[in-house]
Amino acid sequence: MQFLRTYGICYHLLMDQKVLAILNKERSSALSISLLDGSPHTACMAFGYKENPFEILFLTDRKSKKCEPLLKGLSAKASFVVGFDEADMVTLQIDGEIKIEEDRGKIEEIRKIYFEKYPDHRRYENEGSRYLVFVPLWSRYTDFKPVPNLVITS
């Protein structure tokens, strides 16, 4: 599977101030990835993001289950969700593709973004660390407080 970069409508939705606000507020996400046998695997993950081009960034270990399909240099289908607070009642769901970043220059950029949000996570970085880059292909922002609900879909 070739790693895709899609900007268009999905990119414009993701630059919406409401979407950026939830990404800045939230510190935990659910990341689901398709494994080699087609089964899903979901993990709770800390994340960062880059605006241009829009990408969601993760730190993990190469021995983690989510890396299994990515270690062969391929991308995989994945989904990302934030917004678990019942008081806020706002969620963001994104489907896309994920890969391990191999470019040293891009890894340094990812490290800067990620550790700016999570400086205490430096203790998890080691020789087995891998940086994952998730590119959105579809997204849905939902605010359940107003009636009718505010739904923005790419």
Side-chain angles (χ1 to χ4, degrees):
M1 182 184 314
Q2 181 181 0
F3 191 59
L4 299 175
R5 290 197 177 275
T6 302
Y7 298 101
I9 295 170
C10 190
Y11 175 79
H12 292 295
L13 166 65
L14 293 168
M15 292 300 98
D16 186 286
Q17 291 306 305
K18 293 174 188 66
V19 172
L20 296 178
I22 192 172
L23 290 171
N24 288 327
K25 176 187 176 284
E26 296 294 333
R27 296 186 49 84
S28 297
S29 69
L31 176 66
S32 297
I33 186 168
S34 295
L35 299 177
L36 292 172
D37 66 1
S39 64
H41 172 70
T42 303
C44 183
M45 300 284 295
F47 69 95
Y49 74 92
K50 186 171 101 171
E51 286 188 37
N52 191 13
F54 188 85
E55 298 169 334
I56 300 171
L57 313 167
F58 304 93
L59 168 64
T60 193
D61 189 272
R62 65 180 169 79
K63 294 180 182 176
S64 68
K65 192 168 186 175
K66 72 188 81 48
C67 277
E68 289 175 7
L70 305 175
L71 287 171
K72 299 183 185 313
L74 303 173
S75 65
K77 293 184 183 300
S79 293
F80 167 86
V81 178
V82 291
F84 307 104
D85 186 337
E86 289 183 14
D88 287 346
M89 299 295 290
V90 175
T91 65
L92 176 63
Q93 305 164 56
I94 306 175
D95 293 339
E97 291 195 24
I98 195 164
K99 72 168 188 167
I100 294 175
E101 184 57 67
E102 302 288 348
D103 180 277
R104 294 298 310 158
K106 290 180 182 177
I107 289 170
E108 287 308 310
E109 180 183 16
I110 292 168
R111 290 181 75 246
K112 181 180 179 215
I113 293 166
Y114 185 87
F115 291 130
E116 185 175 309
K117 186 172 183 178
Y118 306 99
D120 57 320
H121 285 203
R122 288 184 190 278
R123 65 185 171 185
Y124 303 121
E125 190 178 40
N126 58 57
E127 65 279 348
S129 293
R130 296 296 180 269
Y131 291 90
L132 307 181
V133 176
F134 175 85
V135 174
L137 301 173
W138 173 89
S139 56
R140 178 183 170 117
Y141 170 93
T142 307
D143 184 342
F144 290 97
K145 289 180 296 209
V147 177
N149 302 147
L150 172 62
V151 178
I152 307 169
T153 304
S154 66

